[in-house]
Amino acid sequence: NSGVQRLSTQLKVRQHHLRSAHLEHHEGQFVSTYIPTGRGLEVLHRVARAMISGDAGRAWSLTGPYGAGKSSFALFVHALLGANGDEARIGAEAALRAAEPELLSLIEEGRKAFGATPRGFIRAAATAQREPVNETVLRAFTAGAHGYWHTRMPADVTSALADAGRDWTSPALGLVLEALCAHAPVLIEIDEFGKNLEHFAGSAAEADLFVLQELAERCTGDRGLPALLITLQHMTFDDYVRGASALQRREWGKVQGRFEDISFVESAEQSLRLVAGAFEPTARDSIFLPALEAWAAAETQTCQRLGLARFLPGGAATLAHCYPLHPMTILALPEICARFGQHGRTLFSFLTSR
């Protein structure tokens, strides 16, 4: 029948979760298609409060399994704090405006409170290897400085980086942060931080313990430096250092206490939002739209009879946004992907499969 249209002419699936994001290699990428999730929005609220109020902590550890979207979220934050006119920042702000415009206003207020100029933050990001955390932090600082100035770097920053290159101690890296913050606020992001913790558990170098404590303390309070510190890992700190001695674990506990640990795992309700956000309308015509609304209304009534409506917040609107998935598939899919796959990444791989 020549009058029959393919479903692909009415909607498409966003592609951003199909491969793993890398904080250093994918800077500025995946941002325009990123879907801010409930957990991500919660973390952004904490970031905004930390910039506006000196009472809030400025160091967070995000813990979540593979495929939960931690690296994509870190790239999103990285873009939000970039320079005016930066393409990635424009895309990130558009995505946040669509999800929660009030939060975007808070982020803007926080940027001003932190003294950010139109050039944005110095964004010091690194993906850790199985190496001392001091080395990872120095690499992040170096990349952030070169990314901000591109050509001629201020003499005090150049000197501080050179000193830290010769001496990886916590005070030396603290002085690098101080030098950077004299010119612009700083965002520090360390992805795959668990590899640093694995290195510590194996070598237990004491310097590994205190560099993050040094940085977190320099960011704390009304007189703290205008800097934000985020680590991302797959397990909690304690899970990585179980092989260390009792004394070393106690010392590491003191460092851990400087961070606010956040479980980066979406609730079932937020997973539904992720599914709904995955489908992007293209050219829904006057025939398709009424048929979709009728289907969603009928399926909502069926769910109510079966006692499933309470698991589908938003009712018919949620089902319409998740079309063409059946309601039972919508409910089962996030749980299956979490239990047997890699959460959001597996979910999107399924949605785009043929």
Side-chain angles (χ1 to χ4, degrees):
N1 187 343
S2 59
V4 176
Q5 291 185 337
R6 296 176 61 89
L7 187 59
S8 59
T9 65
Q10 302 298 321
L11 54 85
K12 65 180 181 179
V13 181
R14 301 185 187 212
Q15 304 288 314
H16 81 282
H17 265 296
L18 289 184
R19 58 190 177 120
S20 177
H22 191 283
L23 196 52
E24 294 180 56
H25 298 164
H26 296 148
E27 179 182 343
Q29 301 179 35
F30 306 141
V31 174
S32 61
T33 57
Y34 180 75
I35 302 172
T37 62
R39 188 65 71 189
L41 294 173
E42 177 191 335
V43 176
L44 282 175
H45 270 285
R46 300 186 192 201
V47 169
R49 286 198 303 270
M51 290 190 288
I52 295 168
S53 171
D55 296 334
R58 295 175 183 167
W60 303 271
S61 61
L62 307 187
T63 304
Y66 290 97
K70 300 184 301 298
S71 300
S72 295
F73 172 74
L75 288 170
F76 188 69
V77 177
H78 191 278
L80 276 176
L81 299 180
N84 290 1
D86 180 74
E87 186 176 345
R89 178 178 164 186
I90 292 171
E93 289 182 340
L96 185 55
R97 186 180 296 108
E100 192 174 333
E102 297 82 3
L103 179 53
L104 178 58
S105 298
L106 286 176
I107 293 292
E108 283 299 320
E109 184 181 346
R111 289 168 62 99
K112 293 176 183 176
F114 249 32
T117 69
R119 295 182 64 186
F121 278 50
I122 296 171
R123 296 168 294 171
T127 298
Q129 307 297 323
R130 197 178 174 97
E131 62 190 3
V133 66
N134 308 52
E135 185 174 341
T136 308
V137 170
L138 179 59
R139 189 167 68 251
F141 283 158
T142 303
H146 284 290
Y148 189 80
W149 281 286
H150 301 294
T151 53
R152 188 171 182 178
M153 200 178 299
D156 59 332
V157 174
T158 302
S159 175
L161 285 171
D163 290 344
R166 293 187 294 269
D167 177 16
W168 287 0
T169 62
S170 301
L173 289 167
L175 290 175
V176 175
L177 179 60
E178 189 174 312
L180 292 172
C181 287
H183 299 274
V186 177
L187 168 68
I188 308 166
E189 293 181 307
I190 302 177
D191 200 2
E192 297 290 350
F193 180 58
K195 293 182 180 178
N196 290 137
L197 295 175
E198 289 171 353
H199 176 82
F200 164 73
S203 66
E206 197 164 292
D208 276 2
L209 279 175
F210 299 112
V211 60
L212 291 183
Q213 181 176 350
E214 173 84 17
L215 299 181
E217 288 178 348
R218 284 177 176 263
C219 303
T220 302
D222 290 329
R223 298 185 179 181
L225 296 174
L228 307 169
L229 174 57
I230 301 174
T231 67
L232 305 100
Q233 57 278 329
H234 303 300
M235 300 185 293
T236 64
F237 286 8
D238 290 340
D239 290 332
Y240 286 104
V241 298
R242 284 181 177 174
S245 69
L247 175 61
Q248 290 162 345
R249 289 199 304 273
R250 283 196 300 271
E251 291 301 314
W252 185 246
K254 297 176 184 177
V255 179
Q256 183 181 1
R258 301 296 190 278
F259 287 77
E260 183 179 0
D261 189 40
I262 300 173
S263 176
F264 205 83
V265 178
E266 299 299 330
S267 65
E269 181 176 340
Q270 291 299 331
S271 295
L272 288 180
R273 177 181 176 179
L274 193 62
V275 173
F279 294 101
E280 186 175 357
T282 53
R284 291 184 174 180
D285 56 33
S286 57
I287 298 175
F288 178 80
L289 204 54
L292 174 62
E293 292 172 352
W295 172 85
E299 293 296 336
T300 300
Q301 291 180 356
T302 301
C303 290
Q304 289 171 343
R305 288 198 303 272
L306 296 174
L308 298 175
R310 61 193 178 94
F311 300 112
L312 292 166
T318 296
L319 294 182
H321 283 121
C322 292
Y323 183 82
L325 297 184
H326 188 276
M328 292 302 297
T329 303
I330 296 170
L331 291 172
L333 192 57
E335 179 65 26
I336 292 172
C337 292
R339 185 169 298 186
F340 302 111
Q342 292 188 3
H343 294 259
R345 191 174 304 137
T346 302
L347 175 63
F348 274 78
S349 295
F350 170 80
L351 295 176
T352 56
S353 61
R354 297 187 178 184

